């Protein structure tokens, strides 16, 4: 659920998947690339953050507070976007090569992707201990495996609602609310860790 909440917001990657779905253009390739990329980043973050926390236990607390700050920023950004909603526009069609390059670009050149998958999900996974963290990571990967096909292949059915600015206002408001809840949960989790260690 955390993984789904983080990728629910309409950022560059999701908007691109939606556009491809609306055009029914290389949707399968785009979906597979997005799922594989998320899996690589989430598992890498879980392993990397775990190794960092093992060597420097205080790093988890720092990462959790940074994650909470990032979630708070994302919530503010979403609420601000809800004040000026705009419909998703469809661009000129392209061949498979440029689509693959664009998919990789909106995934790996977006710093938010690293914050979401490597830092935030990696930090959250490592709160569950050395064994359960992999179950959390697997759940986050499963969330991506559900989200991207639904987004890409379901876009055509949603073309009507997606053309309405009011829909995007609701999406932005819901995203902001989810991000705030996650931020508070992350902060409260941090306080619990601090108290139990005292």
């Amino acid at each position: 659920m955390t993984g789904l909440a983080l990728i629910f917001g309409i950022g560059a990657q999701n908007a691109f998947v939606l556009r491809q779905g609306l055009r029914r253009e290389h949707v399968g390739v785009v979906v597979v690339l997005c799922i594989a990329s998320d899996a690589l980043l989430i598992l890498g973050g879980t392993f990397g953050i775990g190794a960092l926390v093992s060597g420097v236990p205080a790093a988890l607390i720092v990462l959790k507070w940074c994650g909470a700050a990032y979630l708070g920023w994302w919530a503010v950004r979403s609420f601000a976007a809800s004040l000026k909603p705009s419909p998703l526009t469809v661009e000129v069609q392209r061949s498979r090569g440029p689509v693959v390059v664009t998919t990789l670009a909106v995934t790996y050149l977006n710093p938010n992707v690293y914050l979401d998958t490597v830092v935030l999900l990696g930090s959250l996974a490592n709160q569950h201990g050395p064994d359960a963290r992999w179950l959390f990571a697997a759940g986050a990967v499963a969330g991506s495996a559900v989200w991207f096909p639904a987004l890409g292949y379901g876009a055509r059915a949603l073309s009507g609602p997606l053309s309405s600015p009011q829909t995007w206002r609701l999406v932005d408001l819901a995203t902001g609310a989810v991000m705030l809840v996650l931020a508070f949960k992350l902060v409260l989790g941090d306080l619990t860790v601090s108290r139990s260690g005292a």
Side-chain angles (χ1 to χ4, degrees), residues 43-194:
L43 296 175
T46 301
F47 178 78
I49 297 294
L52 175 62
V53 169
S54 297
V56 186
L60 182 58
I61 295 174
V62 172
L63 287 171
K64 286 166 72 175
W65 280 100
C66 289
Y70 168 68
L71 288 170
W73 170 82
W74 191 262
V76 170
R77 179 182 179 276
S78 297
F79 290 137
S82 73
L83 298 175
K84 295 181 179 179
S86 59
L88 189 66
T89 57
V90 178
E91 298 170 352
V92 178
Q93 294 188 3
R94 292 179 289 180
S95 62
R96 180 177 293 183
V99 167
V100 168
V101 171
T102 304
T103 304
L104 295 175
V106 298
T107 299
Y108 291 102
L109 298 181
N110 181 2
N112 291 335
V113 170
Y114 295 98
L115 289 170
D116 287 347
T117 56
V118 177
V119 176
L120 191 56
L121 288 177
S123 299
L124 290 170
N126 280 282
Q127 290 184 54
H128 298 282
D131 297 323
R133 65 180 174 156
W134 296 111
L135 292 175
F136 182 93
V141 171
S144 294
V146 169
W147 173 255
F148 287 114
L151 190 64
Y153 291 106
R156 181 64 65 172
L158 296 173
S159 60
L162 291 176
S163 65
S164 168
Q166 285 303 109
T167 299
W168 293 107
R169 184 188 306 277
L170 294 175
V171 167
D172 288 327
L173 287 172
T175 300
V178 169
M179 294 300 107
L180 275 183
V181 169
L182 287 175
F184 280 120
K185 287 183 73 172
L186 203 55
V187 169
L188 293 176
D190 196 8
L191 294 174
T192 303
V193 169
S194 299

Side-chain angles (χ1 to χ4, degrees), residues 16-27 89-94 99 152 155-156:
F16 180 72
V17 175
L18 271 174
R19 288 187 184 103
Q20 294 304 115
L22 288 171
R23 290 189 301 239
R24 295 180 182 175
E25 177 187 79
H26 310 300
V27 179
T89 57
V90 178
E91 298 170 352
V92 178
Q93 294 188 3
R94 292 179 289 180
V99 167
R156 181 64 65 172

